[in-house]
Amino acid sequence: MTSVAERVDRLERQWAERPGVLGWLTTTDHKRVGLLYFWTTLVFFGAGGVEALVMRSQLIQPNNHLVGPETFDQLFTVHGMTMIFWFIIPMTTGAFGNYLVPLMIGARDMAFPRMNALSFWIFLASGMFLYIGLFSGFGPDAGWFNYVPLADRLHDPSRNIEFYTLGLAFNSIASTLTAANLIVTILKLRAPGMSFNRMPLFCFAFLAASFGLIFALPSLSVDLIFLFLQRNLGFHFFDVAHGGSSFLWQHLFWFFGHPEVYILIVPAFGIATEIIPAFTRRKMIAFPLVAIAELLVVFIGFGVWAHHMFATGLPTTTLVFFAGATSMVVIPSTIQVFAWCMSIYAGRPKFKTPLLFIIGFIVMFVAGGLTGIMFLAIPFDQQTTDTYFVVAHFHYIIFGAAVFPIFGGMYYWFPKVTGKLYFERPGQISFWIIFAGTNLLFFPMHIVGLLGMPRRVYTYPGDMGWTSYNVIESIGGYITAVGILALFTNLVVSYFRGAPAGPDPWHGPTLEWSVPSPPPEYNFAVIPTVSSAYANWDADDRERDGHRLTAGVGTLERGHEQHVSSLIDGWTSEIVDMPHSSPWPIALALALSLLFAMLVITHYLFAAIFAVVIALTLLGWHGKEPQES
Amino acid sequence: MSDVVAVDTRARERFPLGVWGIAMLIATEAALFAMMVGSYFYLRFKNAQWPPAGTPEPKVVVPLVLLGVLMLTAFPMWKAASSATPRRWLLLALVVQSGYFAMEVSDFRDDLRHFTPQQHAYGSIYYTLLGADHGHVAVGLLLDAWLLWKLLFGMTEFRRKAVRAIALYWYAVIVLTIVVTLTVTSPAFAR
Amino acid sequence: MLAGSAAGLGVIVAILVGAWFKRGVDGADRPGTITVIALGIVTPILVLAALFAYSDIFLIRGTSPPVAAAATNDLSVRVIGHQFWWEIRYPGSGVVTANEIHIPVRTHVVVSVHSDDVIHSFWVPQLNRKIDVFPDQVNRVELYADKPGRYRGQCAEFCGLQHAHMGFYVFAQPRAAYDRWLRMQARPAKRFNALFDDKCSSCHAIQGTPAHAHVGPDLTHVGSRTSLAALTIPNTAAHMADWLRNTQQVKPGSQMPEVDLTNAQVRQLTRYLESLK
């Protein structure tokens, strides 16, 4: 009779990665892919942060000459693109999603491990693509929403906008693949007994955001394709002289753009809804309401896009409809905010660093949400849109509602990923510095916007009364940077000097806390059975798992095996063989990069050749078939 | 030690993971085409004359007949997905689909002789929408060819699932082509 | 709205602060769920409905774009947005000027806006909402000044390199003063300058001379304007000379190229242009 030790040993041998760099280049392990995403997005976060600091340094004085308008226009454009597409989305879906979702649902990997690796390499290549454009002087410079006619060939003749259209199209392939992977994983790979209503709220959030990406990104892609064709092949979609419409760009853009902002914050809501139970030691209040709200906010968010166009001269009836729809999308958010707050109130909170970041998130999200509600008063919107008031609004939301939970999540899961505890005191200090800095940076923007300062200006006159606010904002920016540096210094030092964490330092509610820290390659030696959404708190179930491990039931150790379950009830439906370690993802990403490189220099013949190479790579990818069960 | 949890063996036969993957692809491509079709109608209602003066009205009979032919290939694809000997059905489907594709390419080039995408938004959206549709048909042909080549080496579980996945892809392409064909021929209907 | 928002934020902060004070005591589910429904669903529905009704049914009547100037409207002005200046036309009197709009006080003025190139946005914060300026269609906004004065406006939609320097003034004047201004603007220039005609007339017009191009601003009465280059610099002889000499340094990315002029030519043109009152 095989012992537990022998079973574990067999699993370790089967799931072991290739050693060294080659192992990282060919990895399909969701944890490694998650870590690759994590470090890469941090580099882009740094780039976006530097862009912001340069802008704040230019704006600290009126009529300043630190950078000229060409550079400034590229800075604010690339800052927006980087933070949204190369930081928040890949950090939440690519890093947190990839690493944690399989662990939380009791799976050994994502549904499509090679596609997961592919999405990372494409993401990395797309970022290099954009920044090669920026560093060679061809950075996109028409704003992150790139309105036409400003972005058409006549008004922006250089290659800058090709780096915009192709860079975003390239990046969106990665996000779409990640979203598809998360959806199928969450729907089909849950552990036995994890019916749909017993999923952690984190999974509901990531499911909602992924559906959002699947249905919203194509609208942006269509816009990008149309603009590329118009700029490079003489097509006409947006120019009124040939039957096109400038409004078409905006409609397609915002049909994507509004769901996008929910895609940015909903995964962060998911992080918050795991940290709160862990640090208040009770279950989330109104769990079903919160779960439905997470799905509903993305769904309703598809119906409100034209509230970004209230000043464009659309008919008043249209505007009123969209204001009405926008008021509906508020409700799922308010449900969640009060559920979080009441859970903290009703629990026994431990005010450690992760929870501090979540509380900071709630305060800033509510502040940003309140200014958002103000925008549904159309006349108010028509005064404040395109001013610093709206810059304040969306930064309170994005920094508050997306970045704060990301920071909190980094602290929360640090012990799981590294096996070490972080230093608590410096963690709390880093929180307070960042909280103070971001409020100093973004709050005065409300005021200066109400005083009439428009956005996207590289300088401003000294006699408008805007100067002192800009000074405070810039100082706030520097303080925020210091706080963020403190945060990462703490994490790095903790990595080398922290105390061992063990599997479950927080007595966390979800399954990732039931495995060692860091988790072994195969995640679970025995596939867990689940009877609630707080699986790690169900001591009976975890004890039964231990018995099953000894008996060899559900250990799935005959190959790279993964359990697949039914959609609603989580009943076992089959065992499948998973791919493990493959060179095809990075090869395909390389071929795709070359295709996009050819497109940006409009060498269509070579682009077609690389398309053929991609097809051949896909042939090789599907050459070896999985073992029969 | 019995597991607390039930087992659902029917689910295994219903939708393998590969089919789910194709379903995700279809969802995102459907959204893509929905936005393109939406753009067609948006541009149409922005223009008093559609097609613009000097551009011929779209043909109706030939596109609809060809559409019917493509729709019929759903049958051999379905038979391939549910049969133990899919090769003959796949071959039949591939032949008819290739014929359809060849006719469409010929029509496309004929259209280009009368008006181009560079002339007006009508041409731009017409050729982009049709071109995207034909592109998806072309990919389907390649997938059929790949399957036929794989099946030369015999049948396996993986190949059976692949046939089902690619059949699903074709059903989606057929629905897509219905929508696109009706869209680009619509000026001839609504007078 | 600000009071309501402060109250809303206050409730949240109160709950969180309360959590700090009562930490260590476990609470039941029920009161929490009821609070979530009461404060998270019912209250927002009521507040939003009230806000929506007030702003988007009642208040919006005052800010909706007016229809084309009818007999009831006293005045209509046409504005054409360019990169990076505003062309102002008064239909009827044929007056063409740039970057300055004069209107009579206590008069409903319908401003029709249209763009010659990219999307801009016409915004005079103290007088009304902003309205985007498209090449696709003519949009309209009403201006109504109940007090005389100088109101600053600016472009509010990113339109390229010098979006930051695309401002304009609206002067609201007593009716008599406005009529005088309009009559003065309608008069052609009295003097011709050969150097101007040679170097500048390919883009700029001066009524009463052969210069009729409208690529750049009409300069017939440029001497009477308060500022130059769309509020980038004040209108003084020194600034005018600087503008002529160092155009791309004063406003880098402006559509006006650097014109090759000697110092004597700059002085001559400055004197001429400043004389065009």
Side-chain angles (χ1 to χ4, degrees), chain A residues 69 148 245-246 282 311-312 323 327 334 338 345-347 370 374 376-378 382-383 385-386 452 454 458, chain C residues 5 20 22 25-27 29 39-40 48 55-56 119 123 125 128-130 132 136 139 154 156-157 161-162 165:
Chain A
V148 290
S245 166
S246 310
R282 63 156 294 133
T312 56
S327 49
T334 49
F338 281 101
Y345 186 81
L370 288 167
M374 292 182 199
L376 72 88
I378 297 171
Q382 291 165 338
Q383 275 284 22
T385 190
D386 271 309
Y458 75 101
Chain C
S5 301
W20 163 263
K22 70 167 275 300
V25 180
D26 220 339
D29 269 359
L39 292 183
L48 291 168
S55 326
D56 300 334
I119 301 175
W123 187 35
N128 206 348
R129 49 163 287 184
K130 57 178 67 74
D132 286 352
D136 297 50
N139 280 336
Q154 64 199 10
E157 182 63 65
L161 288 168
Q162 284 298 329
H165 291 124

Short mmCIF file of all heavy atoms in Angstrom, two decimals, chain A residues 69 148 245-246 282 311-312 323 327 334 338 345-347 370 374 376-378 382-383 385-386 452 454 458, chain C residues 5 20 22 25-27 29 39-40 48 55-56 119 123 125 128-130 132 136 139 154 156-157 161-162 165:
data_model
loop_
_atom_site.label_atom_id
_atom_site.label_comp_id
_atom_site.label_asym_id
_atom_site.label_seq_id
_atom_site.Cartn_x
_atom_site.Cartn_y
_atom_site.Cartn_z
N PRO A 69 5.03 70.69 -25.35
CA PRO A 69 3.74 70.04 -25.60
C PRO A 69 3.86 68.68 -26.29
O PRO A 69 3.06 67.79 -25.98
CB PRO A 69 2.99 71.04 -26.49
CG PRO A 69 4.02 72.00 -26.98
CD PRO A 69 5.12 72.01 -25.99
N VAL A 148 -10.89 60.82 -33.11
CA VAL A 148 -10.72 61.31 -34.47
C VAL A 148 -11.58 62.55 -34.57
O VAL A 148 -12.58 62.65 -33.88
CB VAL A 148 -11.16 60.27 -35.51
CG1 VAL A 148 -10.19 59.12 -35.50
CG2 VAL A 148 -12.55 59.77 -35.24
N SER A 245 -18.31 59.34 -39.78
CA SER A 245 -18.78 60.11 -38.64
C SER A 245 -17.75 60.10 -37.52
O SER A 245 -17.28 59.04 -37.11
CB SER A 245 -20.10 59.52 -38.12
OG SER A 245 -20.40 60.05 -36.85
N SER A 246 -17.43 61.31 -37.01
CA SER A 246 -16.53 61.40 -35.86
C SER A 246 -17.16 60.76 -34.63
O SER A 246 -16.47 60.26 -33.75
CB SER A 246 -16.22 62.85 -35.51
OG SER A 246 -15.82 63.56 -36.65
N ARG A 282 -15.38 36.72 10.18
CA ARG A 282 -16.77 36.33 10.02
C ARG A 282 -17.07 36.31 8.53
O ARG A 282 -16.35 36.89 7.73
CB ARG A 282 -17.70 37.27 10.75
CG ARG A 282 -17.66 38.68 10.22
CD ARG A 282 -18.94 39.43 10.52
NE ARG A 282 -20.05 38.84 9.81
CZ ARG A 282 -21.21 38.57 10.35
NH1 ARG A 282 -21.45 38.82 11.63
NH2 ARG A 282 -22.17 38.04 9.64
N ALA A 311 -21.41 66.21 -23.57
CA ALA A 311 -21.17 67.55 -24.11
C ALA A 311 -21.08 67.57 -25.63
O ALA A 311 -20.81 68.61 -26.22
CB ALA A 311 -19.89 68.14 -23.51
N THR A 312 -21.31 66.42 -26.28
CA THR A 312 -21.04 66.36 -27.71
C THR A 312 -22.16 66.90 -28.58
O THR A 312 -22.00 67.02 -29.79
CB THR A 312 -20.80 64.91 -28.17
OG1 THR A 312 -21.94 64.12 -27.78
CG2 THR A 312 -19.55 64.34 -27.55
N ALA A 323 -28.42 59.01 -18.72
CA ALA A 323 -28.31 59.41 -17.31
C ALA A 323 -29.15 58.48 -16.45
O ALA A 323 -28.76 58.08 -15.36
CB ALA A 323 -28.75 60.86 -17.14
N SER A 327 -27.85 55.92 -13.45
CA SER A 327 -28.29 55.87 -12.06
C SER A 327 -28.56 54.43 -11.63
O SER A 327 -28.36 54.09 -10.47
CB SER A 327 -29.51 56.76 -11.84
OG SER A 327 -30.48 56.51 -12.81
N THR A 334 -23.50 50.40 -4.43
CA THR A 334 -23.87 50.78 -3.07
C THR A 334 -24.19 49.54 -2.23
O THR A 334 -23.88 49.50 -1.03
CB THR A 334 -25.06 51.76 -3.04
OG1 THR A 334 -26.11 51.24 -3.88
CG2 THR A 334 -24.66 53.12 -3.55
N PHE A 338 -22.03 48.90 1.32
CA PHE A 338 -22.62 48.72 2.65
C PHE A 338 -22.41 47.31 3.17
O PHE A 338 -22.23 47.11 4.37
CB PHE A 338 -24.10 49.12 2.63
CG PHE A 338 -24.26 50.62 2.71
CD1 PHE A 338 -24.53 51.36 1.58
CD2 PHE A 338 -24.07 51.28 3.92
CE1 PHE A 338 -24.64 52.74 1.65
CE2 PHE A 338 -24.18 52.66 3.99
CZ PHE A 338 -24.46 53.40 2.86
N TYR A 345 -18.08 46.09 10.47
CA TYR A 345 -18.68 46.53 11.73
C TYR A 345 -19.13 45.33 12.57
O TYR A 345 -18.96 45.32 13.79
CB TYR A 345 -19.89 47.42 11.40
CG TYR A 345 -20.52 48.05 12.61
CD1 TYR A 345 -19.98 49.20 13.18
CD2 TYR A 345 -21.67 47.51 13.17
CE1 TYR A 345 -20.56 49.78 14.28
CE2 TYR A 345 -22.25 48.09 14.29
CZ TYR A 345 -21.69 49.23 14.84
OH TYR A 345 -22.26 49.80 15.94
N ALA A 346 -19.75 44.34 11.91
CA ALA A 346 -20.31 43.20 12.64
C ALA A 346 -19.27 42.18 13.03
O ALA A 346 -19.53 41.26 13.78
CB ALA A 346 -21.41 42.54 11.81
N GLY A 347 -18.06 42.30 12.46
CA GLY A 347 -17.03 41.30 12.77
C GLY A 347 -16.13 41.73 13.90
O GLY A 347 -16.41 42.69 14.61
N LEU A 370 -19.25 59.15 -5.31
CA LEU A 370 -20.14 60.29 -5.10
C LEU A 370 -19.95 61.33 -6.19
O LEU A 370 -20.93 61.88 -6.71
CB LEU A 370 -19.91 60.89 -3.71
CG LEU A 370 -20.44 60.01 -2.57
CD1 LEU A 370 -19.91 60.48 -1.24
CD2 LEU A 370 -21.95 60.01 -2.55
N MET A 374 -22.62 62.68 -9.15
CA MET A 374 -22.87 64.07 -9.55
C MET A 374 -22.93 64.20 -11.06
O MET A 374 -23.68 65.01 -11.59
CB MET A 374 -21.75 64.97 -9.02
CG MET A 374 -21.71 65.13 -7.53
SD MET A 374 -20.39 66.27 -7.07
CE MET A 374 -20.17 65.83 -5.36
N LEU A 376 -24.29 62.38 -13.11
CA LEU A 376 -25.53 62.04 -13.80
C LEU A 376 -26.52 63.20 -13.81
O LEU A 376 -27.56 63.12 -14.46
CB LEU A 376 -26.12 60.73 -13.30
CG LEU A 376 -26.76 60.54 -11.96
CD1 LEU A 376 -28.23 60.87 -12.04
CD2 LEU A 376 -26.66 59.06 -11.61
N ALA A 377 -26.14 64.29 -13.17
CA ALA A 377 -26.86 65.54 -13.39
C ALA A 377 -26.25 66.15 -14.64
O ALA A 377 -25.18 66.74 -14.61
CB ALA A 377 -26.68 66.46 -12.20
N ILE A 378 -26.95 65.99 -15.76
CA ILE A 378 -26.36 66.35 -17.05
C ILE A 378 -25.83 67.79 -17.10
O ILE A 378 -24.72 68.02 -17.58
CB ILE A 378 -27.37 66.08 -18.19
CG1 ILE A 378 -27.67 64.57 -18.24
CG2 ILE A 378 -26.83 66.55 -19.52
CD1 ILE A 378 -28.79 64.21 -19.18
N GLN A 382 -21.98 68.75 -17.94
CA GLN A 382 -21.59 69.58 -19.08
C GLN A 382 -20.71 70.75 -18.68
O GLN A 382 -20.09 71.39 -19.52
CB GLN A 382 -22.83 70.07 -19.83
CG GLN A 382 -23.54 68.93 -20.54
CD GLN A 382 -24.94 69.29 -20.97
OE1 GLN A 382 -25.55 70.19 -20.43
NE2 GLN A 382 -25.45 68.58 -21.96
N GLN A 383 -20.66 71.06 -17.39
CA GLN A 383 -19.71 72.06 -16.90
C GLN A 383 -18.38 71.40 -16.55
O GLN A 383 -17.32 71.95 -16.81
CB GLN A 383 -20.26 72.78 -15.66
CG GLN A 383 -21.16 73.95 -15.98
CD GLN A 383 -20.37 75.18 -16.44
OE1 GLN A 383 -19.24 75.10 -16.90
NE2 GLN A 383 -20.99 76.34 -16.33
N THR A 385 -17.15 68.12 -17.23
CA THR A 385 -16.44 67.15 -18.06
C THR A 385 -15.24 67.83 -18.73
O THR A 385 -15.27 69.03 -18.99
CB THR A 385 -17.39 66.51 -19.09
OG1 THR A 385 -16.72 65.42 -19.71
CG2 THR A 385 -17.82 67.48 -20.17
N ASP A 386 -14.21 67.05 -19.00
CA ASP A 386 -13.00 67.61 -19.63
C ASP A 386 -12.27 68.62 -18.76
O ASP A 386 -11.46 69.41 -19.25
CB ASP A 386 -13.30 68.24 -20.99
CG ASP A 386 -13.18 67.22 -22.11
OD1 ASP A 386 -12.13 66.54 -22.15
OD2 ASP A 386 -14.12 67.10 -22.90
N GLY A 452 -12.31 75.78 -13.24
CA GLY A 452 -12.23 75.92 -14.69
C GLY A 452 -10.98 75.39 -15.35
O GLY A 452 -10.80 75.57 -16.54
N PRO A 454 -8.95 73.09 -17.45
CA PRO A 454 -9.26 71.95 -18.31
C PRO A 454 -8.19 70.87 -18.16
O PRO A 454 -7.10 71.13 -17.64
CB PRO A 454 -9.22 72.55 -19.72
CG PRO A 454 -8.31 73.72 -19.61
CD PRO A 454 -8.36 74.20 -18.20
N TYR A 458 -0.61 71.17 -21.15
CA TYR A 458 0.76 71.01 -20.72
C TYR A 458 1.22 72.16 -19.85
O TYR A 458 2.26 72.07 -19.19
CB TYR A 458 1.70 70.83 -21.92
CG TYR A 458 1.99 72.07 -22.72
CD1 TYR A 458 3.19 72.76 -22.54
CD2 TYR A 458 1.09 72.55 -23.67
CE1 TYR A 458 3.48 73.89 -23.29
CE2 TYR A 458 1.38 73.68 -24.41
CZ TYR A 458 2.57 74.35 -24.21
OH TYR A 458 2.86 75.48 -24.95
N SER C 5 -23.21 64.65 -0.74
CA SER C 5 -22.04 63.78 -0.84
C SER C 5 -21.30 63.70 0.48
O SER C 5 -20.87 62.63 0.90
CB SER C 5 -21.09 64.29 -1.91
OG SER C 5 -21.74 64.34 -3.14
N TRP C 20 -14.01 50.33 14.42
CA TRP C 20 -12.79 50.43 15.21
C TRP C 20 -13.12 50.40 16.69
O TRP C 20 -12.47 49.73 17.47
CB TRP C 20 -12.03 51.70 14.83
CG TRP C 20 -10.99 52.10 15.82
CD1 TRP C 20 -11.09 53.02 16.82
CD2 TRP C 20 -9.67 51.54 15.96
NE1 TRP C 20 -9.94 53.10 17.55
CE2 TRP C 20 -9.05 52.19 17.04
CE3 TRP C 20 -8.97 50.56 15.27
CZ2 TRP C 20 -7.77 51.91 17.46
CZ3 TRP C 20 -7.67 50.29 15.67
CH2 TRP C 20 -7.08 50.95 16.75
N LYS C 22 -15.81 49.22 18.25
CA LYS C 22 -16.44 48.04 18.83
C LYS C 22 -15.72 46.75 18.44
O LYS C 22 -16.27 45.68 18.52
CB LYS C 22 -17.92 47.97 18.46
CG LYS C 22 -18.17 47.66 17.00
CD LYS C 22 -19.62 47.29 16.75
CE LYS C 22 -19.90 45.82 17.03
NZ LYS C 22 -19.10 44.92 16.19
N VAL C 25 -16.10 42.45 19.27
CA VAL C 25 -17.45 41.96 19.57
C VAL C 25 -18.09 41.47 18.28
O VAL C 25 -18.21 42.22 17.32
CB VAL C 25 -18.32 43.07 20.18
CG1 VAL C 25 -19.72 42.54 20.47
CG2 VAL C 25 -17.67 43.63 21.43
N ASP C 26 -18.50 40.21 18.27
CA ASP C 26 -19.11 39.65 17.06
C ASP C 26 -20.56 40.09 16.93
O ASP C 26 -21.28 40.14 17.93
CB ASP C 26 -19.06 38.12 17.13
CG ASP C 26 -18.73 37.52 15.79
OD1 ASP C 26 -18.93 38.21 14.76
OD2 ASP C 26 -18.27 36.37 15.75
N GLY C 27 -20.97 40.42 15.71
CA GLY C 27 -22.35 40.87 15.52
C GLY C 27 -23.15 39.84 14.72
O GLY C 27 -22.60 39.01 14.04
N ASP C 29 -25.99 38.51 11.79
CA ASP C 29 -26.15 38.79 10.36
C ASP C 29 -27.29 39.74 10.07
O ASP C 29 -27.22 40.60 9.21
CB ASP C 29 -26.43 37.49 9.61
CG ASP C 29 -25.17 36.83 9.13
OD1 ASP C 29 -24.09 37.39 9.37
OD2 ASP C 29 -25.25 35.75 8.52
N LEU C 39 -29.77 50.98 3.32
CA LEU C 39 -28.84 52.02 2.90
C LEU C 39 -28.24 51.77 1.53
O LEU C 39 -27.84 52.70 0.84
CB LEU C 39 -27.70 52.17 3.92
CG LEU C 39 -28.09 52.73 5.28
CD1 LEU C 39 -26.85 52.88 6.16
CD2 LEU C 39 -28.78 54.08 5.14
N GLY C 40 -28.18 50.49 1.14
CA GLY C 40 -27.50 50.17 -0.12
C GLY C 40 -28.43 50.08 -1.31
O GLY C 40 -27.99 50.18 -2.44
N LEU C 48 -31.11 58.99 -5.91
CA LEU C 48 -30.83 59.09 -7.34
C LEU C 48 -32.06 59.56 -8.11
O LEU C 48 -31.95 60.35 -9.04
CB LEU C 48 -30.37 57.73 -7.87
CG LEU C 48 -29.00 57.28 -7.38
CD1 LEU C 48 -28.78 55.82 -7.72
CD2 LEU C 48 -27.91 58.12 -7.98
N SER C 55 -32.29 67.34 -11.99
CA SER C 55 -31.31 67.79 -12.97
C SER C 55 -31.72 67.49 -14.40
O SER C 55 -31.54 68.32 -15.29
CB SER C 55 -29.97 67.11 -12.76
OG SER C 55 -29.73 66.89 -11.42
N ASP C 56 -32.23 66.27 -14.63
CA ASP C 56 -32.35 65.82 -16.01
C ASP C 56 -33.75 65.96 -16.56
O ASP C 56 -34.00 65.62 -17.70
CB ASP C 56 -31.86 64.37 -16.11
CG ASP C 56 -30.40 64.25 -15.69
OD1 ASP C 56 -29.68 65.25 -15.81
OD2 ASP C 56 -29.99 63.18 -15.23
N ILE C 119 -11.95 67.94 -33.29
CA ILE C 119 -12.98 68.26 -32.31
C ILE C 119 -12.42 69.23 -31.27
O ILE C 119 -11.34 69.01 -30.72
CB ILE C 119 -13.47 66.98 -31.58
CG1 ILE C 119 -14.03 65.99 -32.60
CG2 ILE C 119 -14.55 67.33 -30.56
CD1 ILE C 119 -14.42 64.67 -31.97
N TRP C 123 -16.31 76.68 -24.44
CA TRP C 123 -16.73 76.71 -23.05
C TRP C 123 -16.44 78.05 -22.41
O TRP C 123 -15.28 78.47 -22.35
CB TRP C 123 -16.00 75.61 -22.27
CG TRP C 123 -16.46 75.41 -20.86
CD1 TRP C 123 -17.74 75.54 -20.38
CD2 TRP C 123 -15.65 75.05 -19.75
NE1 TRP C 123 -17.77 75.25 -19.05
CE2 TRP C 123 -16.50 74.96 -18.63
CE3 TRP C 123 -14.29 74.78 -19.59
CZ2 TRP C 123 -16.03 74.61 -17.36
CZ3 TRP C 123 -13.83 74.44 -18.34
CH2 TRP C 123 -14.69 74.36 -17.23
N PRO C 125 -17.13 79.14 -18.82
CA PRO C 125 -17.66 78.54 -17.59
C PRO C 125 -18.65 79.42 -16.85
O PRO C 125 -19.62 78.91 -16.28
CB PRO C 125 -16.40 78.33 -16.73
CG PRO C 125 -15.27 78.29 -17.68
CD PRO C 125 -15.66 79.13 -18.85
N ASN C 128 -22.25 79.42 -19.31
CA ASN C 128 -23.06 78.23 -19.60
C ASN C 128 -22.16 77.01 -19.70
O ASN C 128 -20.95 77.07 -19.54
CB ASN C 128 -23.88 78.43 -20.88
CG ASN C 128 -25.14 77.57 -20.90
OD1 ASN C 128 -25.32 76.66 -20.08
ND2 ASN C 128 -26.03 77.86 -21.83
N ARG C 129 -22.76 75.88 -20.00
CA ARG C 129 -22.07 74.61 -20.15
C ARG C 129 -21.16 74.64 -21.38
O ARG C 129 -21.22 75.54 -22.20
CB ARG C 129 -23.14 73.54 -20.39
CG ARG C 129 -24.07 74.05 -21.51
CD ARG C 129 -24.91 73.02 -22.14
NE ARG C 129 -24.09 72.19 -22.99
CZ ARG C 129 -24.60 71.23 -23.75
NH1 ARG C 129 -25.89 71.01 -23.73
NH2 ARG C 129 -23.83 70.50 -24.51
N LYS C 130 -20.35 73.58 -21.50
CA LYS C 130 -19.54 73.49 -22.70
C LYS C 130 -20.30 72.72 -23.78
O LYS C 130 -21.19 71.91 -23.50
CB LYS C 130 -18.21 72.81 -22.41
CG LYS C 130 -18.31 71.43 -21.80
CD LYS C 130 -16.93 70.80 -21.60
CE LYS C 130 -16.09 71.52 -20.57
NZ LYS C 130 -16.53 71.26 -19.18
N ASP C 132 -19.35 70.66 -27.48
CA ASP C 132 -18.26 70.22 -28.34
C ASP C 132 -18.44 70.77 -29.74
O ASP C 132 -19.56 70.96 -30.22
CB ASP C 132 -18.19 68.70 -28.38
CG ASP C 132 -17.64 68.11 -27.10
OD1 ASP C 132 -17.17 68.88 -26.24
OD2 ASP C 132 -17.68 66.88 -26.95
N ASP C 136 -18.50 67.45 -38.07
CA ASP C 136 -19.64 66.73 -38.64
C ASP C 136 -20.89 67.57 -38.71
O ASP C 136 -21.72 67.38 -39.60
CB ASP C 136 -20.00 65.52 -37.76
CG ASP C 136 -18.89 64.51 -37.68
OD1 ASP C 136 -17.76 64.91 -37.39
OD2 ASP C 136 -19.16 63.32 -37.88
N ASN C 139 -23.31 72.56 -33.80
CA ASN C 139 -23.91 72.49 -32.47
C ASN C 139 -24.23 73.90 -32.01
O ASN C 139 -23.67 74.87 -32.52
CB ASN C 139 -22.96 71.81 -31.48
CG ASN C 139 -22.99 70.30 -31.60
OD1 ASN C 139 -23.96 69.72 -32.05
ND2 ASN C 139 -21.91 69.68 -31.18
N GLN C 154 -12.49 78.96 -23.03
CA GLN C 154 -11.33 78.21 -23.53
C GLN C 154 -11.81 76.93 -24.22
O GLN C 154 -12.92 76.47 -23.99
CB GLN C 154 -10.41 77.84 -22.38
CG GLN C 154 -11.05 76.90 -21.39
CD GLN C 154 -10.35 76.89 -20.06
OE1 GLN C 154 -9.47 77.71 -19.79
NE2 GLN C 154 -10.71 75.97 -19.22
N ALA C 156 -12.14 73.11 -24.57
CA ALA C 156 -12.20 72.09 -23.52
C ALA C 156 -12.22 70.68 -24.08
O ALA C 156 -12.74 69.77 -23.46
CB ALA C 156 -13.43 72.32 -22.65
N GLU C 157 -11.68 70.48 -25.27
CA GLU C 157 -11.52 69.11 -25.77
C GLU C 157 -10.15 69.05 -26.41
O GLU C 157 -9.85 69.85 -27.31
CB GLU C 157 -12.59 68.78 -26.81
CG GLU C 157 -12.51 67.36 -27.35
CD GLU C 157 -12.72 66.29 -26.28
OE1 GLU C 157 -13.83 66.22 -25.73
OE2 GLU C 157 -11.77 65.55 -25.97
N LEU C 161 -1.35 70.07 -30.06
CA LEU C 161 -0.23 70.61 -29.32
C LEU C 161 -0.56 71.86 -28.50
O LEU C 161 -0.04 72.03 -27.40
CB LEU C 161 0.92 70.94 -30.27
CG LEU C 161 1.64 69.72 -30.85
CD1 LEU C 161 2.56 70.13 -31.99
CD2 LEU C 161 2.44 69.02 -29.77
N GLN C 162 -1.39 72.75 -29.04
CA GLN C 162 -1.63 74.01 -28.33
C GLN C 162 -3.05 74.12 -27.80
O GLN C 162 -3.60 75.22 -27.68
CB GLN C 162 -1.26 75.20 -29.22
CG GLN C 162 0.23 75.40 -29.33
CD GLN C 162 0.86 75.71 -27.97
OE1 GLN C 162 0.24 76.31 -27.11
NE2 GLN C 162 2.09 75.28 -27.79
N HIS C 165 -3.48 76.56 -25.14
CA HIS C 165 -3.50 77.99 -25.44
C HIS C 165 -4.55 78.29 -26.50
O HIS C 165 -4.23 78.83 -27.56
CB HIS C 165 -2.11 78.44 -25.93
CG HIS C 165 -1.08 78.41 -24.84
ND1 HIS C 165 0.09 77.71 -24.94
CD2 HIS C 165 -1.07 79.00 -23.63
CE1 HIS C 165 0.79 77.87 -23.82
NE2 HIS C 165 0.10 78.64 -23.01
#
